[in-house]
Amino acid sequence: MARARDKGIVVMMNKPPIITIVVARAQNGVIGRSGKLPWHLPADLKRFKALTMGSVMVMGRKTFESLPGLLPGRRHLVLTRALDWFAIGAEKAHSVQEALEIAGDEPVSVIGGADIFALFLPFASRIELTEVLEDVEGDTSWPDPRHSGSWREVASEVHEAEDGRPAYRFVTLERA
């Protein structure tokens, strides 16, 4: 809650949370294969940890189930239609609005999957994108948000291919 003063009166206002989409995407749009990332980029995993630490991570049930377990230093909020879904250590919401109410004024990191990204895209102010610089086979994809014209690139860091891993870029997008 934020406080605003107007002529000696204190008014409590909800401060909207900062919403960041954190996504890794191949140049052909693929973000997953059989419920997992179709590549292994240690630098991307390290960046993911740094970007999401201390935030409320919002994800779909399948993304939650793909995690190796609860990730320390972050709240896990699962957006699901299943009324009876439950997991120890995770919170549950059934709508974007409910998820944002549960998050309160804490920063929100939306981490997948594709349907969850699409639901939160209108509310996000930032996208942290790892762009894998090759076409990759997969069964889940997400369109390039830059094609909408609503996003502008504010930072980019290129990493060359090495040790059999593809080249990639870390890209930060902000709403235009």
Side-chain angles (χ1 to χ4, degrees), residues 91-141:
E91 299 169 87
K92 153 178 87 170
H94 300 294
S95 68
V96 170
Q97 182 64 36
E98 184 181 5
L100 294 177
E101 288 171 6
I102 291 169
D105 61 0
E106 292 183 54
V108 172
S109 298
V110 180
I111 65 166
D115 291 343
I116 306 303
F117 291 142
L119 287 171
F120 278 86
L121 189 62
F123 305 100
S125 57
R126 186 178 202 101
I127 298 173
E128 294 290 352
L129 170 67
T130 298
E131 186 172 41
V132 177
L133 299 176
E134 64 181 43
D135 289 346
V136 176
E137 285 189 39
D139 54 24
T140 307
S141 61

Side-chain angles (χ1 to χ4, degrees), residues 6 13 34 75 115 138 147 173:
D6 183 21
M13 300 180 303
S34 301
R75 287 173 58 194
D115 291 343
H147 293 168
L173 305 171

Side-chain angles (χ1 to χ4, degrees), residues 10 24 40 44-45 54 57 86 91 102 147 153 159 162 175:
V10 176
H40 179 71
D44 178 47
L45 298 175
M57 293 189 312
F86 172 81
E91 299 169 87
I102 291 169
H147 293 168
E153 191 171 309
H159 297 267
E162 71 177 294
R175 193 167 291 282

